Amino acid sequence: MRVNIKSLPYRIFIYAIACSLSIAVVNFITTSLIHRISTTSSMLFPVLTISLMGFHIMIACFMGMKYLCDKKQLYLAPIAFAFTCSALLMLGTIGSYPDWLVCAQGREINQNDALIFYFFRNVMMAVLFITSIILYRIRHITGHSRKIHGAVLSSCFIFITATLILSWVHSSNSPLLSIEFIDNLTYTFTPLWHNRIGWLLIIIWSLTLILLIGLTRLRNIFWYSGAFFCTAYIFTLLVLLSTVSGNAHSWN
């Protein structure tokens, strides 16, 4: 009996197997590293964040160059903006660890700020991923319209600018609209994070994943990787919600 590799259920099955194996391997490696080499646990989060920031910059460059080479692939532009803004928000996250970014010894680590930047990064990337999915679905309409291209690029730029400003305003850098996700004294998550924000982010990423699978039908490796990206964020958030302490190193 032949298997129809073009059918959506088969693609979802392949995606589920790949995600399960990848997440299991990554979780095993990181857990083993943290528990076996406890002396590195304090530096593990900044190191992983710096590495991930470089990776996001590289993806943003590739997506941007791919779009510039083929303007018909407008759906790549929001992805490029998403990873660019993500890298910039990671600078704020690393800034919460002053010993790593500005060599300011003596300053306390502000884990609440790090989680605030993480929250805005999640929302921003989910929104731009949804935008990319919709643009991919209607790519035959938007491919040749300069007005649509200009509107999409302008909207993405305004959106990431607003995200950067809001993340800065809500962090300790500005006393205007400060919020608390982690108690910096006890390093424990607040009820606001556990009962509302964490679950809200999971719902947002779940909707993004459903839209991605439903509208793109996982037609190529690009959308497979996008689905894996959504799943990885959902898994990370579930890990965070299962812990009480903010010392978990999964949320980068």
Side-chain angles (χ1 to χ4, degrees), residues 193-207:
W193 171 263
H194 261 296
N195 299 333
R196 296 182 181 181
I197 300 300
W199 291 109
L200 175 63
L201 293 179
I202 289 177
I203 292 173
I204 292 174
W205 278 115
S206 298
L207 291 175

Side-chain angles (χ1 to χ4, degrees), residues 53 55-68 71 73-90 120-132 135 148-164 205 222 229 233:
M53 181 177 66
F55 183 63
H56 280 209
I57 292 173
M58 183 176 64
I59 294 177
C61 291
F62 280 133
M63 293 298 102
M65 289 187 292
K66 180 66 175 176
Y67 165 70
L68 292 175
K71 295 295 183 63
Q73 298 182 349
L74 179 60
Y75 60 90
L76 295 178
I79 301 295
F81 276 103
F83 282 99
T84 300
C85 186
S86 175
L88 293 174
L89 288 172
M90 285 183 193
F120 279 98
R121 184 156 59 90
N122 272 260
V123 174
M124 176 273 303
M125 296 200 77
V127 170
L128 290 180
F129 264 60
I130 292 174
T131 304
S132 177
L135 289 174
I148 294 178
H149 279 248
V152 170
L153 295 177
S154 300
S155 299
C156 289
F157 178 78
I158 293 172
F159 178 69
I160 67 170
T161 302
T163 301
L164 292 171
W205 278 115
F222 177 79
F229 188 88
Y233 267 92

Side-chain angles (χ1 to χ4, degrees), residues 126-191:
V127 170
L128 290 180
F129 264 60
I130 292 174
T131 304
S132 177
I133 294 166
I134 295 174
L135 289 174
Y136 176 79
R137 185 67 174 182
I138 60 174
R139 62 191 182 280
H140 301 297
I141 301 174
T142 62
H144 302 283
S145 175
R146 291 186 177 181
K147 291 183 179 180
I148 294 178
H149 279 248
V152 170
L153 295 177
S154 300
S155 299
C156 289
F157 178 78
I158 293 172
F159 178 69
I160 67 170
T161 302
T163 301
L164 292 171
I165 294 173
L166 287 173
S167 63
W168 178 269
V169 170
H170 283 84
S171 68
S172 63
N173 296 301
S174 173
L176 297 177
L177 296 171
S178 60
I179 52 179
E180 189 175 47
F181 292 150
I182 292 181
D183 188 335
N184 280 321
L185 297 178
T186 61
Y187 291 155
T188 56
F189 293 110
T190 63

